[in-house]
Amino acid sequence: MRLTGFPLFVAGSLLCTLVASAATRPHYGGTLHVEMRAALASLDPADSNPPDWLESRNLFLLMFDTLVSLDEQGKPQPALASSWQAEAGNQRWRFSLRRGVTFEDGTPVTSEAIAASLRKANPTWKVVSEDEAVIVERDSPAPNLPAELSLPRNSVLRRDGGKISGSGPFAVSRWEPGKKLSLAARDDYWDGRAFLDAIEIEMGKSFQEQMISFDLGKTQVIEVAPERARRAAAEGRDVESSSPVELVALVFGHDTQSPDDGRQRQALALCIDRELMNTVVLQGGGEPAGGLLPNWMSGYGFLFPASTNLELARQVRSEIPHTTSWTLSYDPADSTARVIAERIVLNARDAGLGLQITNAKNADVRIVRVPLISLDPQMALGELAAELRLPQPLPASSSVGDLYDAENKLLKTQRVIPLLHLRTAYAVSNTVKNWRTIRDGSWRLPNVWLAPEKP
C-alpha cells in the first residue's frame, strides 16, 4: 500500500504547529513599570553602598555585564569572558574576551576598558590587558575568582568624566537620582535584544505606596514584604517568591569576654522561638535559621539546630553565677525587626536572661538583615562574614564538607546567632508574561514581555 496521504498529513501538522507557535510568540514592545523601596543616589557600582545587595543588583543587571555570570545552580558561565583559565596555584587567571561587544555609547568593550573597570572596583588587584584577554593576579590563591567576578560590584563599565556607560541589555535614557530611572532596550546588545522597549523604575516607594499603585494599575511589578506575601496572594494578587535569601541574625558587638559570657550567649540562642517568629510575625515569609546559609544553598543547613529548647536554656542559665543584662538594638525604620526584638526579649525573660531594647548605637547585641549576594555558597558565606565583621572563612576546598567546617567555625565564635532566612516577594501584574522567579530573587527581564490588557 502506498502512503501518499502521510506526507500531506505531516506537512499539515507542521503548518498547524507553526501557525500556533506564531500566534503565541511574544511581541516586542511596551514599557514595564516597576516600583521599589531603594533610592539609589548613583548608578555607579563603585559609589553604591553596598553594590551587591538585592535592590542594587537588580538594577545593575539591566545596565551592565560582568566577565562571568552564575547559572541557577551557582555555576560560573561565560558572559563578557568567553573562557578562562588559572595558572597553577589559582593566583593568576586569564580571561579570554567575547568579540564585538560595545558599550551603550557605541564604544567597543576592549580589554583595556575591562581592566580599568576592574581596577577601579578592586584597587588591591593587579589587572592588566593582553590583546583580547584580561589577566587578574591576586596576592593569594583565589580559586573562586570566576564566581567573585560575577558580583555586580565587578560590573564592567566605561567612565568618562561624570558619565558612565554599560554594555548591558538596557541603556539609561533618564536618571533622577533617588527618584526615577528610565531604561531603553538596546538593539545592538550582544546577547539579543530584550522583548521590552523600556523599563520605568520609581524609587523610594514604601511597601504601602507600592501596593496602592499596583492595585490602581499604575505599576506592574512591586516588592511585597515577606510577612505580607501570603495575604497579598490570598487577596487575589499574583505573588512570586524567591527561596529564602536574606539572613536575619543577632550580632554581638564584641567577642566573648569569659566562659560565662559564652554560656549566656548559648542560653540565648537556645531559648529563641524561631518557628513562632516565622509563623506569627512573618506569616510564613521565611524559614527558621540555625546556620548562616540556608539549606537550599548549602545542603547541610539542617545540621545546625534551629528549634527552641527552653529547658536546656534554663539549665545553662543556672550554671552561670552572675549574668549580664544586655541591650538590644534594631533598625527603627524596620517594623518587622521591632516585633522580632520584642519576641526575643520575651524569650530571654522566660529563660531567666535580662535583655532590654535600646536605641543606642553601641548596644551589646543588634538585629541585622543581610541578603545573600551570590548563588555560589562559598562566595555567599565569605560576603556574609565580611558584612557581619566575622573572620573570613577559609575552607580548604570547595567541597560541601569543607564549607560546613568553615561555617561551623564562624558560628563557634558566638559572635552571631542566626534567626531566620527571609524570602523576597514580588507582586506581578497578569499582563507581565514570562516572568520567572530566580532562586536568589534577582530579576531576569530581557525575556519578559507584555500582553495587552483585557478590556
Side-chain angles (χ1 to χ4, degrees):
M1 182 177 69
R2 296 178 63 188
L3 301 178
T4 55
F6 184 73
L8 293 175
F9 172 78
V10 173
S13 298
L14 288 174
L15 180 61
C16 291
T17 301
L18 290 173
V19 170
S21 176
T24 59
R25 190 173 186 273
H27 294 284
Y28 289 96
T31 299
L32 180 69
H33 295 271
V34 180
E35 292 190 3
M36 59 191 303
R37 288 173 299 156
L40 273 66
S42 171
L43 296 181
D44 190 334
D47 298 332
S48 299
N49 185 27
D52 299 315
W53 283 25
L54 190 58
E55 297 89 346
S56 306
R57 178 178 66 187
N58 282 335
L59 297 186
F60 294 153
L61 284 172
L62 299 173
M63 299 179 289
F64 309 121
D65 290 312
T66 49
L67 282 178
V68 181
S69 63
L70 297 185
D71 61 22
E72 293 191 50
Q73 285 70 49
K75 305 300 181 183
Q77 301 296 329
L80 290 183
S82 57
S83 63
W84 51 87
Q85 187 174 7
E87 294 183 1
N90 293 319
Q91 194 167 338
R92 192 172 189 268
W93 290 75
R94 185 180 193 276
F95 294 85
S96 300
L97 305 181
R98 188 182 301 276
R99 296 180 179 179
V101 181
T102 62
F103 291 110
E104 63 183 80
D105 62 4
T107 305
V109 178
T110 62
S111 59
E112 292 85 358
I114 293 176
S117 184
L118 291 178
R119 285 194 296 267
K120 173 71 173 179
N122 305 279
T124 62
W125 294 7
K126 182 180 179 181
V127 187
V128 297
S129 59
E130 182 182 281
D131 297 328
E132 295 184 350
V134 169
I135 310 298
V136 179
E137 188 171 346
R138 302 285 294 273
D139 294 335
S140 59
N144 218 26
L145 182 61
E148 187 171 359
L149 287 173
S150 73
L151 296 176
R153 68 166 175 259
N154 289 318
S155 297
V156 172
L157 59 150
R158 180 174 178 268
R159 298 175 176 89
D160 185 8
K163 185 178 180 180
I164 61 174
S165 182
S167 65
F170 292 88
V172 178
S173 57
R174 181 182 178 187
W175 167 234
E176 298 177 31
K179 296 180 180 180
K180 186 174 184 177
L181 173 64
S182 300
L183 301 171
R186 292 183 57 191
D187 293 328
D188 60 346
Y189 183 54
W190 62 268
D191 201 24
R193 188 195 190 279
F195 291 152
L196 296 167
D197 280 337
I199 303 174
E200 298 279 349
I201 302 168
E202 298 280 349
M203 301 182 182
K205 302 292 185 179
S206 67
F207 284 128
Q208 183 177 5
E209 289 174 318
Q210 292 183 52
M211 190 65 74
I212 292 173
S213 293
F214 185 82
D215 290 341
L216 292 176
K218 294 181 179 181
T219 190
Q220 295 143 318
V221 178
I222 63 170
E223 301 165 320
V224 179
E227 65 272 17
R228 292 274 302 174
R230 182 177 295 177
R231 179 175 177 181
E235 292 172 345
R237 304 176 186 91
D238 184 6
V239 177
E240 301 285 340
S241 297
S242 71
S243 298
V245 292
E246 184 178 28
L247 173 69
V248 181
L250 289 176
V251 178
F252 288 87
H254 51 75
D255 293 326
T256 54
Q257 304 297 301
S258 65
D260 283 348
D261 185 22
R263 282 192 285 270
Q264 188 168 333
R265 297 184 187 196
Q266 179 189 3
L268 179 61
L270 287 167
C271 74
I272 296 173
D273 194 337
R274 299 167 177 82
E275 186 63 44
L276 187 65
M277 287 182 189
N278 184 51
T279 56
V280 175
V281 179
L282 293 175
Q283 295 296 302
E287 291 180 355
L292 299 173
L293 297 180
N295 188 71
W296 69 267
M297 176 178 284
S298 68
Y300 58 70
F302 65 93
L303 295 176
F304 297 118
S307 57
T308 182
N309 191 333
L310 185 57
E311 182 178 351
L312 182 56
R314 288 170 173 167
Q315 179 182 330
V316 172
R317 161 64 184 86
S318 67
E319 297 170 355
I320 307 172
H322 303 286
T323 60
T324 302
S325 181
W326 287 325
T327 53
L328 169 66
S329 67
Y330 61 89
D331 181 357
D334 188 344
S335 59
T336 300
R338 175 181 59 79
V339 180
I340 290 175
E342 292 169 352
R343 291 278 178 179
I344 293 173
V345 169
L346 293 176
N347 291 157
R349 185 180 303 165
D350 290 341
L353 301 172
L355 200 60
Q356 182 178 357
I357 295 176
T358 180
N359 293 325
K361 294 182 179 180
N362 60 342
D364 297 304
V365 60
R366 70 188 193 278
I367 297 175
V368 300
R369 294 174 62 161
V370 184
L372 304 174
I373 67 167
S374 176
L375 281 165
D376 178 272
Q378 185 174 334
M379 182 60 55
L381 183 62
E383 294 296 318
L384 272 178
E387 185 64 28
L388 298 175
R389 299 180 181 179
L390 299 175
Q392 270 297 308
L394 298 173
S397 71
S398 59
S399 70
V400 173
D402 286 338
L403 189 67
Y404 166 82
D405 290 340
E407 181 172 350
N408 193 38
K409 186 176 180 180
L410 289 179
L411 293 172
K412 284 185 175 180
T413 65
Q414 293 188 297
R415 286 286 302 276
V416 57
I417 299 176
L419 301 174
L420 301 156
H421 286 118
L422 306 185
R423 296 181 176 88
T424 296
Y426 301 98
V428 183
S429 167
N430 56 16
T431 61
V432 179
K433 304 301 180 182
N434 209 30
W435 179 282
R436 192 166 55 90
T437 301
I438 308 300
R439 299 192 75 175
D440 67 349
S442 59
W443 296 344
R444 295 292 187 271
L445 297 189
N447 292 327
V448 167
W449 57 285
L450 300 176
E453 293 190 30
K454 296 181 180 180

